[in-house]
Short mmCIF file of all heavy atoms in Angstrom, two decimals:
data_model
loop_
_atom_site.label_atom_id
_atom_site.label_comp_id
_atom_site.label_asym_id
_atom_site.label_seq_id
_atom_site.Cartn_x
_atom_site.Cartn_y
_atom_site.Cartn_z
N ALA L 183 -13.17 -10.09 10.08
CA ALA L 183 -13.79 -11.02 9.07
C ALA L 183 -12.94 -12.18 8.64
O ALA L 183 -13.35 -12.99 7.84
CB ALA L 183 -14.32 -10.22 7.95
N GLY L 184 -11.79 -12.27 9.19
CA GLY L 184 -10.81 -13.32 8.77
C GLY L 184 -10.37 -13.16 7.28
O GLY L 184 -10.23 -14.13 6.57
N LEU L 185 -10.05 -11.98 6.93
CA LEU L 185 -9.60 -11.67 5.52
C LEU L 185 -8.15 -11.78 5.30
O LEU L 185 -7.71 -11.81 4.17
CB LEU L 185 -10.13 -10.25 5.17
CG LEU L 185 -11.61 -9.97 5.28
CD1 LEU L 185 -11.89 -8.45 4.93
CD2 LEU L 185 -12.46 -10.87 4.37
N LEU L 186 -7.44 -11.72 6.46
CA LEU L 186 -5.95 -11.60 6.34
C LEU L 186 -5.34 -13.04 6.07
O LEU L 186 -5.38 -13.87 6.96
CB LEU L 186 -5.34 -10.90 7.61
CG LEU L 186 -3.96 -10.39 7.55
CD1 LEU L 186 -3.63 -9.50 6.45
CD2 LEU L 186 -3.64 -9.68 8.91
N THR L 187 -4.73 -13.19 4.97
CA THR L 187 -4.17 -14.46 4.71
C THR L 187 -2.70 -14.59 5.16
O THR L 187 -2.12 -13.45 5.40
CB THR L 187 -4.18 -14.75 3.15
OG1 THR L 187 -3.59 -13.68 2.45
CG2 THR L 187 -5.65 -14.95 2.69
N PRO L 188 -2.04 -15.69 5.32
CA PRO L 188 -0.78 -15.83 6.03
C PRO L 188 0.38 -14.90 5.35
O PRO L 188 1.01 -14.22 6.22
CB PRO L 188 -0.48 -17.34 5.79
CG PRO L 188 -1.83 -18.00 5.73
CD PRO L 188 -2.68 -17.03 5.04
N TYR L 189 0.57 -14.98 4.14
CA TYR L 189 1.71 -14.21 3.60
C TYR L 189 1.38 -12.74 3.53
O TYR L 189 2.28 -11.86 3.64
CB TYR L 189 2.18 -14.78 2.20
CG TYR L 189 2.82 -16.11 2.39
CD1 TYR L 189 2.12 -17.30 2.15
CD2 TYR L 189 4.11 -16.15 2.84
CE1 TYR L 189 2.76 -18.55 2.41
CE2 TYR L 189 4.78 -17.36 2.95
CZ TYR L 189 4.01 -18.56 2.72
OH TYR L 189 4.66 -19.76 2.94
N ASP L 190 0.12 -12.30 3.36
CA ASP L 190 -0.21 -10.96 3.47
C ASP L 190 0.02 -10.41 4.93
O ASP L 190 0.41 -9.25 5.15
CB ASP L 190 -1.69 -10.65 3.10
CG ASP L 190 -1.85 -10.75 1.58
OD1 ASP L 190 -0.86 -10.71 0.85
OD2 ASP L 190 -3.00 -10.88 1.19
N ALA L 191 -0.33 -11.32 5.92
CA ALA L 191 -0.09 -10.94 7.29
C ALA L 191 1.39 -10.73 7.56
O ALA L 191 1.86 -9.75 8.30
CB ALA L 191 -0.63 -12.07 8.25
N GLN L 192 2.26 -11.63 7.03
CA GLN L 192 3.70 -11.54 7.14
C GLN L 192 4.13 -10.21 6.61
O GLN L 192 4.97 -9.50 7.26
CB GLN L 192 4.41 -12.63 6.45
CG GLN L 192 5.92 -12.70 6.64
CD GLN L 192 6.43 -13.85 5.86
OE1 GLN L 192 6.09 -14.15 4.72
NE2 GLN L 192 7.46 -14.49 6.46
N GLU L 193 3.64 -9.81 5.41
CA GLU L 193 4.13 -8.59 4.79
C GLU L 193 3.62 -7.44 5.61
O GLU L 193 4.40 -6.41 5.80
CB GLU L 193 3.46 -8.57 3.36
CG GLU L 193 3.82 -7.21 2.59
CD GLU L 193 3.23 -7.15 1.19
OE1 GLU L 193 1.92 -7.51 1.22
OE2 GLU L 193 3.84 -6.77 0.23
N LEU L 194 2.35 -7.39 6.04
CA LEU L 194 1.77 -6.29 6.81
C LEU L 194 2.51 -6.11 8.10
O LEU L 194 2.93 -4.90 8.45
CB LEU L 194 0.32 -6.54 7.06
CG LEU L 194 -0.43 -5.51 7.83
CD1 LEU L 194 -0.38 -4.11 7.20
CD2 LEU L 194 -1.87 -5.85 8.10
N VAL L 195 2.74 -7.25 8.89
CA VAL L 195 3.48 -7.01 10.20
C VAL L 195 4.90 -6.52 9.97
O VAL L 195 5.36 -5.68 10.76
CB VAL L 195 3.36 -8.42 10.95
CG1 VAL L 195 4.28 -8.27 12.28
CG2 VAL L 195 1.96 -8.66 11.40
N THR L 196 5.52 -7.04 9.04
CA THR L 196 6.93 -6.59 8.73
C THR L 196 6.95 -5.14 8.49
O THR L 196 7.73 -4.45 8.94
CB THR L 196 7.47 -7.40 7.51
OG1 THR L 196 7.50 -8.83 7.81
CG2 THR L 196 8.91 -6.93 7.19
N ALA L 197 6.05 -4.64 7.57
CA ALA L 197 5.94 -3.26 7.25
C ALA L 197 5.62 -2.39 8.49
O ALA L 197 6.21 -1.29 8.70
CB ALA L 197 4.88 -3.06 6.21
N LEU L 198 4.72 -2.88 9.35
CA LEU L 198 4.37 -2.04 10.59
C LEU L 198 5.46 -2.04 11.58
O LEU L 198 5.62 -1.05 12.25
CB LEU L 198 3.03 -2.69 11.17
CG LEU L 198 1.80 -2.47 10.35
CD1 LEU L 198 0.59 -3.10 11.02
CD2 LEU L 198 1.51 -1.02 9.94
N LYS L 199 6.17 -3.12 11.70
CA LYS L 199 7.29 -3.20 12.69
C LYS L 199 8.44 -2.22 12.27
O LYS L 199 9.09 -1.64 13.14
CB LYS L 199 7.81 -4.56 12.80
CG LYS L 199 6.96 -5.59 13.49
CD LYS L 199 6.59 -5.29 14.91
CE LYS L 199 7.67 -5.53 15.95
NZ LYS L 199 7.23 -5.36 17.34
N GLU L 200 8.47 -2.02 10.99
CA GLU L 200 9.49 -1.01 10.50
C GLU L 200 8.98 0.40 10.64
O GLU L 200 9.74 1.34 10.58
CB GLU L 200 9.77 -1.31 9.04
CG GLU L 200 10.64 -2.62 8.78
CD GLU L 200 10.64 -3.04 7.27
OE1 GLU L 200 9.90 -2.26 6.44
OE2 GLU L 200 11.24 -4.00 6.91
N THR L 201 7.67 0.55 10.86
CA THR L 201 7.06 1.86 10.84
C THR L 201 6.90 2.45 12.25
O THR L 201 7.11 3.65 12.47
CB THR L 201 5.71 1.88 10.11
OG1 THR L 201 5.86 1.36 8.82
CG2 THR L 201 5.03 3.23 10.09
N VAL L 202 6.49 1.58 13.19
CA VAL L 202 6.21 2.00 14.57
C VAL L 202 7.05 1.22 15.54
O VAL L 202 7.41 0.04 15.29
CB VAL L 202 4.68 1.92 14.92
CG1 VAL L 202 3.92 2.86 14.03
CG2 VAL L 202 4.26 0.58 14.80
N ALA L 203 7.22 1.81 16.76
CA ALA L 203 7.97 1.17 17.79
C ALA L 203 7.04 0.42 18.86
O ALA L 203 7.52 -0.38 19.65
CB ALA L 203 8.92 2.11 18.49
N ILE L 204 5.75 0.76 18.84
CA ILE L 204 4.86 0.22 19.88
C ILE L 204 4.50 -1.22 19.50
O ILE L 204 4.57 -1.66 18.37
CB ILE L 204 3.52 1.04 19.95
CG1 ILE L 204 2.83 1.25 18.64
CG2 ILE L 204 3.83 2.43 20.67
CD1 ILE L 204 1.58 2.01 18.65
N PRO L 205 4.16 -2.08 20.54
CA PRO L 205 3.82 -3.47 20.25
C PRO L 205 2.63 -3.69 19.34
O PRO L 205 1.76 -2.79 19.29
CB PRO L 205 3.50 -3.93 21.67
CG PRO L 205 4.13 -3.05 22.64
CD PRO L 205 4.05 -1.68 22.01
N ILE L 206 2.61 -4.77 18.64
CA ILE L 206 1.60 -5.06 17.65
C ILE L 206 0.85 -6.30 18.02
O ILE L 206 1.49 -7.36 18.20
CB ILE L 206 2.20 -5.17 16.21
CG1 ILE L 206 2.73 -3.87 15.74
CG2 ILE L 206 1.17 -5.66 15.23
CD1 ILE L 206 3.40 -3.72 14.45
N ASP L 207 -0.48 -6.19 18.11
CA ASP L 207 -1.37 -7.31 18.46
C ASP L 207 -2.03 -7.66 17.21
O ASP L 207 -2.53 -6.89 16.42
CB ASP L 207 -2.36 -6.77 19.48
CG ASP L 207 -3.18 -7.91 20.12
OD1 ASP L 207 -3.53 -8.82 19.40
OD2 ASP L 207 -3.57 -7.76 21.30
N MET L 208 -2.20 -9.02 16.94
CA MET L 208 -2.88 -9.52 15.75
C MET L 208 -4.27 -10.15 16.20
O MET L 208 -4.13 -11.12 17.06
CB MET L 208 -2.07 -10.50 14.97
CG MET L 208 -2.76 -11.18 13.85
SD MET L 208 -3.15 -9.99 12.40
CE MET L 208 -1.58 -9.95 11.74
N HIS L 209 -5.38 -9.69 15.65
CA HIS L 209 -6.64 -10.24 16.06
C HIS L 209 -7.34 -10.63 14.82
O HIS L 209 -7.48 -9.89 13.81
CB HIS L 209 -7.47 -9.15 16.78
CG HIS L 209 -8.92 -9.57 17.02
ND1 HIS L 209 -9.32 -10.12 18.11
CD2 HIS L 209 -10.03 -9.47 16.18
CE1 HIS L 209 -10.66 -10.42 18.08
NE2 HIS L 209 -11.11 -10.03 16.79
N THR L 210 -7.66 -11.92 14.72
CA THR L 210 -8.43 -12.41 13.47
C THR L 210 -9.49 -13.40 13.90
O THR L 210 -9.58 -13.77 15.05
CB THR L 210 -7.44 -13.01 12.43
OG1 THR L 210 -8.15 -13.21 11.25
CG2 THR L 210 -6.80 -14.34 12.94
N HIS L 211 -10.28 -13.89 12.92
CA HIS L 211 -11.36 -14.85 13.05
C HIS L 211 -11.13 -16.05 12.13
O HIS L 211 -10.53 -15.83 11.09
CB HIS L 211 -12.65 -14.24 12.89
CG HIS L 211 -13.07 -13.20 14.00
ND1 HIS L 211 -14.10 -13.46 14.92
CD2 HIS L 211 -12.63 -12.06 14.32
CE1 HIS L 211 -14.24 -12.47 15.69
NE2 HIS L 211 -13.27 -11.58 15.42
N TYR L 212 -11.65 -17.19 12.52
CA TYR L 212 -11.40 -18.31 11.67
C TYR L 212 -12.29 -18.55 10.56
O TYR L 212 -12.27 -19.55 9.86
CB TYR L 212 -11.48 -19.62 12.61
CG TYR L 212 -10.53 -20.75 12.33
CD1 TYR L 212 -9.30 -20.76 12.89
CD2 TYR L 212 -10.85 -21.74 11.45
CE1 TYR L 212 -8.38 -21.75 12.61
CE2 TYR L 212 -9.97 -22.78 11.07
CZ TYR L 212 -8.70 -22.67 11.70
OH TYR L 212 -7.83 -23.74 11.31
N THR L 213 -13.19 -17.58 10.35
CA THR L 213 -14.23 -17.72 9.36
C THR L 213 -13.82 -18.22 7.98
O THR L 213 -14.51 -19.02 7.44
CB THR L 213 -14.87 -16.29 9.19
OG1 THR L 213 -14.96 -15.62 10.46
CG2 THR L 213 -16.30 -16.48 8.62
N SER L 214 -12.74 -17.76 7.51
CA SER L 214 -12.27 -18.24 6.11
C SER L 214 -11.35 -19.42 6.22
O SER L 214 -10.95 -19.91 5.13
CB SER L 214 -11.55 -17.02 5.42
OG SER L 214 -10.40 -16.63 6.17
N GLY L 215 -10.95 -19.85 7.45
CA GLY L 215 -10.22 -21.08 7.56
C GLY L 215 -8.65 -20.95 7.66
O GLY L 215 -7.97 -21.91 7.76
N VAL L 216 -8.19 -19.68 7.46
CA VAL L 216 -6.69 -19.51 7.40
C VAL L 216 -6.06 -18.95 8.65
O VAL L 216 -4.89 -18.73 8.74
CB VAL L 216 -6.33 -18.65 6.13
CG1 VAL L 216 -6.85 -19.28 4.91
CG2 VAL L 216 -6.83 -17.19 6.32
N ALA L 217 -6.85 -18.65 9.70
CA ALA L 217 -6.49 -17.81 10.82
C ALA L 217 -5.20 -18.40 11.59
O ALA L 217 -4.33 -17.62 11.99
CB ALA L 217 -7.61 -17.63 11.82
N SER L 218 -5.13 -19.65 11.78
CA SER L 218 -3.99 -20.20 12.57
C SER L 218 -2.74 -19.98 11.76
O SER L 218 -1.65 -19.65 12.33
CB SER L 218 -4.20 -21.69 12.81
OG SER L 218 -5.30 -21.85 13.73
N MET L 219 -2.83 -20.23 10.45
CA MET L 219 -1.55 -20.08 9.66
C MET L 219 -1.31 -18.53 9.58
O MET L 219 -0.04 -18.16 9.52
CB MET L 219 -1.83 -20.59 8.25
CG MET L 219 -2.05 -22.03 8.23
SD MET L 219 -2.34 -22.72 6.53
CE MET L 219 -4.07 -22.27 6.36
#
């Protein structure tokens, strides 16, 4: 739904990279206008 804002994404990915060793893929939609950031 394009709910993930830039700094929340940074926090989430950082936390997940510290938690798991497998690669992480980010999938979002432009609906709310923040997706590229």
Side-chain angles (χ1 to χ4, degrees):
L185 304 176
L186 194 51
T187 53
Y189 288 99
D190 284 345
Q192 183 180 41
E193 181 184 39
L194 178 59
V195 171
T196 300
L198 293 181
K199 290 300 282 186
E200 290 169 356
T201 305
V202 295
I204 54 178
I206 294 175
D207 189 327
M208 174 71 76
H209 172 94
T210 190
H211 290 249
Y212 215 89
T213 322
S214 63
V216 300
S218 295
M219 294 179 282

